[in-house]
Amino acid sequence: MASLRTLLALLAALAASSAGAGSHDDGGGGPAAAVLDERAALEMSQAAIGRTLSDHRLTDQGGNALQLGRLAGKPLLISLIYTSCHHTCPMMTRYLARVVEDARDALGEDSFGVLTVGFDTPVDTPERMRTFASMHGVVDPRWVFASADAATMRALTGELGFTFAASPKGFDHLAQTTVVDARGVIYRQVYGETFEPPALIEPLKQLLWGEKAKASSLEGWINGVRLFCTIYDPAAGRYRFDYSIFIGAVIGIGCLGFVAVFVVRLWRQSGRTRQHA
């Protein structure tokens, strides 16, 4: 319990330092307030974990209709931004792009999807979303930038536990990236314009390999090895497969097997000695 309280306190401090700011002051599609209540926003965000997302109708950056359910079947990262933001949203998107690249290197190119949605519905049109992606160097073909109407945005942000409030400088909001599992269930919330890559990649690892590691098959065994031996190297700032962990585990199992064989042989020899006595 103490560790949970500590985690929530750290998240609150991080969220408080990561509220968004921009230049547009006419919002739509979400709650508006003079001041964002960061503690309440964080509580709402955390309360969304375990919630199943509905099959919302969006429009992608090419102007095509997109049902959210079409992105199911693999883990999905969801971020919410507004395109007239000049600081938080661009920084968050550029940093997320770097972490996504690292995650794809570690977990596989097609292992998860990414969705960025513009919550300022009167302004964040498909054209604006496409321009925003291009301006900030996002070229990942598995990353969708999308818009929605006001009613859909209210429903989507409500399910995601995402709160934003109009302010003189644009909007205040949590810098939030939501990790969704392959069934569309919210699994984790990650906060901040920047964060340590494992905060996002470890949940993806658990979703991709954790459940499969429980299977009593060769694939399950391989995924178990991947889960425990793919580690973050702070010096390199990237994930890598650590063979030493695998080799150490094999050596350890081998030593235990040798000890077991030795004990069994010793027990059998002592039994034969008692019989001849």
Side-chain angles (χ1 to χ4, degrees):
M1 184 63 72
S3 60
L4 177 59
R5 287 196 296 268
T6 301
L7 175 60
L8 289 176
L10 289 172
L11 289 176
L14 179 60
S17 66
S18 302
S23 60
H24 187 76
D25 61 4
D26 181 20
V35 178
L36 181 71
D37 185 336
E38 291 156 353
R39 182 181 294 276
L42 182 64
E43 290 176 355
M44 184 178 296
S45 174
Q46 286 291 296
I49 295 174
R51 187 177 295 158
T52 301
L53 296 177
S54 303
D55 189 16
H56 298 287
R57 180 182 175 86
L58 309 172
T59 303
D60 70 15
Q61 67 266 44
N64 305 303
L66 171 68
Q67 294 295 140
L68 184 58
R70 203 187 85 191
L71 302 178
K74 64 180 68 174
L76 178 67
L77 305 179
I78 302 179
S79 68
L80 291 107
I81 58 94
Y82 68 103
T83 57
S84 54
C85 177
H86 295 309
H87 176 67
T88 297
C89 298
M91 180 182 293
M92 183 172 65
T93 302
R94 290 193 296 268
Y95 185 78
L96 181 60
R98 293 199 294 271
V99 177
V100 164
E101 183 179 0
D102 290 344
R104 294 207 187 284
D105 287 344
L107 307 176
E109 287 293 323
D110 197 34
S111 56
F112 63 94
V114 189
L115 172 66
T116 292
V117 184
F119 64 78
D120 184 7
T121 54
V123 175
D124 294 340
T125 62
E127 294 78 14
R128 287 289 293 265
M129 297 302 292
R130 182 171 62 249
T131 299
F132 184 88
S134 177
M135 284 179 59
H136 301 295
V138 179
V139 295
D140 188 331
R142 301 169 189 83
W143 190 329
V144 178
F145 284 74
S147 305
D149 58 45
T152 300
M153 189 58 60
R154 281 192 294 270
L156 177 60
T157 55
E159 289 179 358
L160 291 170
F162 179 81
T163 305
F164 60 96
S167 71
K169 54 189 178 182
F171 293 96
D172 291 334
H173 62 92
L174 292 184
Q176 170 181 309
T177 304
T178 302
V179 183
V180 182
D181 72 12
R183 300 168 298 161
V185 178
I186 296 173
Y187 182 71
R188 191 73 55 85
Q189 306 280 27
V190 179
Y191 304 103
E193 299 168 16
T194 63
F195 46 82
E196 288 297 315
L200 190 68
I201 300 178
E202 288 299 318
L204 288 173
K205 274 177 56 181
Q206 294 162 13
L207 290 175
L208 287 165
W209 298 333
E211 288 299 316
K212 295 178 181 178
K214 298 176 183 177
S216 56
S217 64
L218 178 60
E219 182 185 7
W221 186 84
I222 291 173
N223 281 304
V225 172
R226 286 177 173 175
L227 179 64
F228 292 106
C229 295
T230 303
I231 63 170
Y232 182 66
D233 183 352
R238 302 184 71 85
Y239 271 77
R240 62 182 175 81
F241 188 85
D242 190 348
Y243 292 95
S244 66
I245 296 176
F246 174 71
I247 293 171
V250 170
I251 292 174
I253 292 171
C255 290
L256 288 175
F258 176 79
V259 171
V261 169
F262 177 78
V263 170
V264 169
R265 285 183 176 178
L266 187 62
W267 176 76
R268 287 178 176 175
Q269 288 177 356
S270 63
R272 286 196 295 267
T273 301
R274 286 195 299 271
Q275 288 175 0
H276 291 299

